[in-house]
Amino acid sequence: MTSISKAFGSSQALWDVSIELFGGSVHALMGENGAGKSTLMKILAGVHQPDSGEIHKDGARVSFANPKDALDAGISTVFQELSLLPNLTISENMFLGREPVTRLGTVDYAKMNAETRRALQELGLTLDPSSLVSELSIAERQFVEIAHGIKADASVFILDEPTAALNAADVEVLNRHIRRLRDAGKAIVYISHRMDEIFEICDTVTVLKDGQVIGTEDIADLSPDRLIAMMVGRELEDLFPNRSENLGERLLEVTDFQIAAGSRPFSLAVHRGEIVALAGLEGQGQQKFLRALIGLFHPVAGHVAIRGRQLPLPANEANGIRRLRSYGAAFVPEDRKEEGLFLGLSISHNIAMALHSKVSELQPARSFSGKVHDTMASMNVKAASPNAPVTSLSGGNQQKVLLGRYLAANMDLLLIEEPTRGVDIGAKSEIYKLLRDFADEGGAVLVLSRETIELIGLSDRIYVIHGNTVVSNMQAKDATEHKILDAALGA
Amino acid sequence: MAAMLNNSLFARLSRIPPAYFVFVALLLVLWIARPHMLNTNIMGIFIRQVVPLGILVLGQLLVMRVNSIDLSGGSVIILVNYLISSSFFHDASLVTYFVLAVASGVGIGLINGYMVGIRRVSAVIATLAMNIIVIGAVEFLASGKPPGAVPKFLNEIYNSKLWTIPTPIVFWIVLSLMMWVLLKRFVFGRNVMSVGENPTAARFSGVPVERTVILAHALAGLMAGIAAFVQTSSLVMGSVRIGLDLPILAVAATILGGVVFGKGEGGVWGPFFGVLSFALLFVVMTTFNIDEPGKLVAQGAIILLAAIFYGLKTAGSK
């Protein structure tokens, strides 16, 4: 596999970008949203055609009119949005449009299943080829797509944010498969926003910014700080705001909280002026604890007090959010598209809804246009007007609108899941600063995130959660990813 | 570039509820073929006929915007019709009859709301079952016989005019304005919009989702009660076989008016013109001497057209 080089037309999504992929190597592609990573990969996968530039594979010039051409040439892609049909079986998906037939003209299921089983086995998977894709977990679906590439005997695998929807255990399995492909001499392109994964799995990294290559380096020569500096043009310290200096009263106090039967009860507290993080491996109870406060999870036992007032538990799903709000606390959900935003409605509706819903439905709706305007200005939301539908915004701006809804509601305590999921690094930095400003003005924040580096940089104090209980409470300035993992696994 | 311009023009056109196009088209047909029909007297009579439908639609658009549906309107009409024309409430006052109608509607609406909002029963099944139960109960009470006469003064109000416009039409317009203000200017309207667009996000925004759904159903019941009151007033004798096709026509007019099922879109005036389109359709059909079966076919064709129109729209917006 030799050099790929191309420039991309009038919109200048890509400007004279060249990268080289080598067999037996995992190549990370990094950059902020809109830097051109996905465009570049879609050209390689035959989804887009380049305006100029050439693709060479194994020394010969190639060009792809469509994704099927690319797959036939040995380039397999797992896109962010999965492209399997859930109502078909694994093997039907694998042979979609190219089903083998028997002499009678019927579909040769025996052959399809046998070949599918062989491809799955190469990944060490024991899935039944005749099971429906809808019965598979997201991780398994991703493995099936990779198996699809194996069956087509692909030599280049493109993985576009494969871990965005995976939990930690599945990420580990995926990484094992990626290493196996690498050891088999395949070239792998890996796109991700998550720093820890890049350093764990990749050999080489190319950083794109504004459609141009900033540089290509061996991962061994890089530190996370250097990599971020390459992506944003500034250092890591600048990414996170300063930590808090003065703590106020106790705002949230949790005592003897037991998440599941048999798990050890724990206690924790959050003060005014403080950002507290819940860290640890995925699915260890962080989210259950947070969601228990709004009635989406029923804990075994425990007391929760906000500003000294007891919050009755278990909370009720139907009015958990409203009750929490009457205690001066807001909950920012993880999945902004499914749980957070009204995508088809305007920015002002999205921001003002938490204000409207505070009063009885039989009251006239206030306009809140000043409040919406102030929120958009202070959060630097880039949009044509407050009437623009949220779906027209970039991911970072959508996230800011979601956060803005709860900041505008004048709460004391924010419970936040994944404050910067799927957001580029520039917007991340802005969101960190907004949360810090909120705490500096006397608010308190309890945040959970899959990105440990983010939690360390953003928070003042970290509770490490493992096995449905708190196993460690450390100051963020002393914390490292290593210490957090140690605390989680040493418990 | 030209293609893009066409696309954005199409996109803008497709946001206009189909009811307006149908209304204008039918008006043109009448204007060309039977211009003498277009006077206030004749139009008033035909539009007055669809007032019960129009009031029922005000409730239907509300529940459809919170992703629900109400198919129990027919039973409310029969129940109210029976209560007013039977001997139970003989010689009661106008206010008593009105309160009776409204209470029946709200009661049935609240049960629907409880089933759909709290028990999470499918709205189609819950309201359809409600419909069958109530109709069965009324038929049992009436034991198959037509109940009795409708009080005369109700008839007189129905046939009266305010200036040149029949009173029921004025009443319908006032109710529509009230619904429009409720949806446009009150927090309830914002809640309805939010629940229709994304119930989970509505919950995370602090919207009382269940209460909004129940309230929407209660209001739909209220509208059904009022529609039943008007429908009954139009009759001389009570009947246990009236208004059975109204719920499905109400759904059709609502869809025609741009309220997309399961998307939380749409306003009050689109469905309003949807109902007017049905009124015009009856005029056109009558002037061309087309009988009841023909009217049914035409109604169905219009509903189908609206559905196709929205198919194009959703395919285009992807």
Side-chain angles (χ1 to χ4, degrees), chain B residues 65-87:
Chain B
R65 286 195 56 188
V66 295
N67 298 335
S68 185
I69 199 164
D70 185 354
L71 300 175
S72 67
S75 72
V76 176
I77 289 177
I78 286 177
L79 175 64
V80 170
N81 192 293
Y82 176 76
L83 289 178
I84 292 180
S85 59
S86 71
S87 51

Side-chain angles (χ1 to χ4, degrees), chain A residues 33-182:
Chain A
N33 287 346
K37 299 167 305 218
S38 291
T39 313
L40 183 63
M41 286 306 111
K42 281 181 178 165
I43 288 171
L44 184 55
V47 178
H48 297 323
Q49 278 67 50
D51 293 345
S52 64
E54 295 174 2
I55 304 172
H56 296 269
K57 185 167 184 295
D58 301 327
R61 182 168 176 186
V62 289
S63 69
F64 309 128
N66 55 49
K68 192 174 168 299
D69 278 4
L71 187 60
D72 291 344
I75 294 170
S76 160
T77 313
V78 181
F79 285 116
Q80 265 168 301
E81 56 273 25
L82 296 169
S83 44
L84 296 174
L85 302 179
N87 293 332
L88 298 184
T89 67
I90 297 176
S91 51
E92 280 167 344
N93 264 289
M94 289 234 187
F95 284 89
L96 197 62
R98 289 170 296 150
E99 290 86 352
V101 289
T102 61
R103 265 178 301 166
L104 292 172
T106 58
V107 175
D108 191 346
Y109 277 101
K111 187 176 174 203
M112 274 166 59
N113 287 342
E115 284 199 26
T116 304
R117 187 170 291 116
R118 199 166 61 234
L120 290 172
Q121 267 164 3
E122 267 195 58
L123 279 175
L125 294 171
T126 51
L127 297 172
D128 179 3
S130 58
S131 54
L132 289 179
V133 164
S134 58
E135 293 165 5
L136 305 180
S137 71
I138 304 253
E140 286 171 333
R141 292 183 201 195
Q142 254 152 0
F143 300 149
V144 167
E145 294 221 39
I146 294 172
H148 193 197
I150 292 176
K151 187 187 65 69
D153 201 22
S155 53
V156 179
F157 287 81
I158 302 169
L159 306 174
D160 191 352
E161 295 211 41
T163 58
L166 298 191
N167 65 34
D170 286 336
V171 168
E172 202 33 62
V173 179
L174 178 70
N175 285 349
R176 215 165 58 229
H177 292 318
I178 291 173
R179 289 195 196 97
R180 196 197 304 257
L181 290 174
R182 181 194 64 197

